Amino acid sequence: MNETTALVLSQLLTGEPRSGEAMARELGISRAAVWKHITTLRGLGYEICSATGAGYTLTLCPDALHAALVHRYYLPEMIGKTIISLPECGSTNAELRARAEQGAEAGLVLTADEQHTGRGRRGRTWVAARGEALLFSTLLRPLLPPSELAGLTLLAGVAVAEALRALGVETRLKWPNDVYIGGQKVCGILAELSGELDHTSYVILGIGLNVWGHPNCSQQSSTCLADHGARHSRARILAAILQSLEHNLSYLTAGKLAVVLDKWRALSNTLGREISVSTSTETFTGVARDITPEGALIVALKDGQEKVVAAGDVSIR
Ligand code: BTN
């Protein structure tokens, strides 16, 4: 959708009838141009009635992710101020990385209705059918070195869990950042960092949330929001997550990650449970005791020793 089509859409989102003449005046275009943008919107699934004398009225909005729809719910200061919505792409993380390399500004969000090569953690793929999931990536340019960013991935989980709770969905977090409803995964998060040892160039935070449906082929039991009676538009959910992300990131920038990690502890479904851990070098079992101030998992082994896991997969036994 081009910028003027988006402006026409914003004018209609009030739900009140808008005359072609008034919109043309406000946007500085001709009435014929307004009509062309209305036709484009109809082609995108927006139902717009036109009545002589009354003008155009938006009667049905598709579950789309355009900025104008998201910004109805939340006007971000930074995260999601600019939103690029693609109908499809390989991976939103890869698309956003290309823009980051070209100098895109921090806070840029890129969404897609469909991904062909969605990426998951530890080299896995992330499958989602068209329109069923909320798939997006956010560009961050934190002024912290990579060594101080380990907690960022837990922070992202907290942000999603809190946003969904605000929308009435009871969520829990499995270390490091999987969002669960009951015993089933509803959302996965992939943080990819670019930089040097002492300097972070950027972080791409990719989030895949099952909204209307979920893949059957996933290795683990999954669910979607609709299965739990949550029937919010993807734009509304995205707005809630961006707001929560912006809020939680402010703790990180203020050097108060500990506040977020305390929230993670309270939301965790992992701590105190018997778990199996698989890292790139080993697999072992134990009881999840706590997380370190950096967000690594502390596991108590049977022999009384403790292991600290910075990266790995956890399954709850
Ligand atoms: C996981 O393995 O749990 C993380 C999955 C992350 C998937 C999301 S979907 C949007 C973004 N783009 C990608 O290619 N991956 C992430």
Side-chain angles (χ1 to χ4, degrees):
M1 182 183 306
N2 76 23
E3 226 170 275
T4 321
T5 312
L7 288 172
V8 171
L9 174 61
S10 307
Q11 298 248 328
L12 295 172
L13 282 173
T14 59
E16 298 298 319
R18 296 281 289 140
S19 80
E21 199 182 335
M23 283 199 280
R25 206 177 326 109
E26 210 145 312
L27 301 175
I29 55 177
S30 66
R31 280 174 64 181
V34 170
W35 180 81
K36 256 180 72 186
H37 293 294
I38 297 280
T39 308
T40 304
L41 288 169
R42 283 180 173 146
L44 290 170
Y46 293 85
E47 283 181 18
I48 300 164
C49 286
S50 56
T52 335
Y56 300 105
T57 312
L58 181 65
T59 50
L60 188 84
C61 237
D63 187 25
L65 284 169
H66 301 298
L69 297 174
V70 179
H71 291 163
R72 268 173 89 197
Y73 299 103
Y74 174 61
L75 261 184
E77 272 177 31
M78 185 183 72
I79 310 290
K81 206 169 173 181
T82 307
I83 300 176
I84 299 174
S85 321
L86 304 178
E88 58 187 286
C89 69
S91 144
T92 57
N93 271 29
E95 279 286 339
L96 192 57
R97 175 184 284 265
R99 284 161 171 89
E101 291 291 340
Q102 287 159 11
E105 266 188 29
L108 176 63
V109 165
L110 188 142
T111 74
D113 280 331
E114 190 176 0
Q115 284 184 139
H116 303 297
T117 50
R119 303 210 287 246
R121 289 179 60 237
R122 302 171 74 77
R124 287 188 287 259
T125 52
W126 183 264
V127 184
R130 171 173 279 266
E132 277 196 344
L134 173 57
L135 310 167
F136 72 101
S137 302
T138 304
L139 174 61
L140 304 175
R141 293 192 184 274
L143 296 171
L144 297 167
S147 57
E148 288 178 39
L149 287 176
L152 182 59
T153 143
L154 276 73
L155 181 152
V158 169
V160 174
E162 287 189 340
L164 294 179
R165 283 172 165 250
L167 293 173
V169 187
E170 182 70 19
T171 48
R172 292 256 148 218
L173 291 169
K174 180 163 80 72
W175 188 89
N177 56 7
D178 286 346
V179 185
Y180 269 61
I181 301 179
Q184 294 172 311
K185 179 165 166 172
V186 70
C187 173
I189 299 171
L190 175 68
E192 296 181 293
L193 187 143
S194 167
E196 287 143 37
L197 269 184
D198 58 347
H199 168 76
T200 307
S201 172
Y202 59 84
V203 176
I204 307 274
L205 207 53
I207 298 180
L209 170 68
N210 302 327
V211 177
W212 300 114
H214 53 98
N216 298 318
C217 54
S218 157
Q219 320 88 336
Q220 50 200 318
S221 169
S222 60
T223 189
C224 67
L225 295 182
D227 281 355
H228 296 269
R231 311 191 69 81
H232 303 291
S233 70
R234 291 183 306 158
R236 176 155 186 214
I237 300 165
L238 178 56
I241 296 176
L242 296 179
Q243 180 169 15
S244 177
L245 207 48
E246 197 151 69
H247 173 69
N248 280 291
L249 280 168
S250 68
Y251 288 110
L252 182 72
T253 24
K256 292 182 179 162
L257 180 65
V259 175
V260 181
L261 295 187
D262 274 345
K263 294 200 268 182
W264 188 92
R265 287 184 180 93
L267 289 165
S268 150
N269 71 3
T270 311
L271 297 183
R273 302 286 298 275
E274 202 171 320
I275 57 170
S276 166
V277 183
S278 158
T279 71
S280 50
T281 53
E282 57 178 345
T283 299
F284 58 91
T285 57
V287 174
R289 273 274 171 267
D290 197 1
I291 47 172
T292 66
E294 295 76 36
L297 185 65
I298 304 171
V299 185
L301 307 182
K302 261 210 182 96
D303 63 7
Q305 289 193 1
E306 280 184 350
K307 267 190 198 261
V308 175
V309 186
D313 267 343
V314 160
S315 50
I316 297 170
R317 288 149 66 88

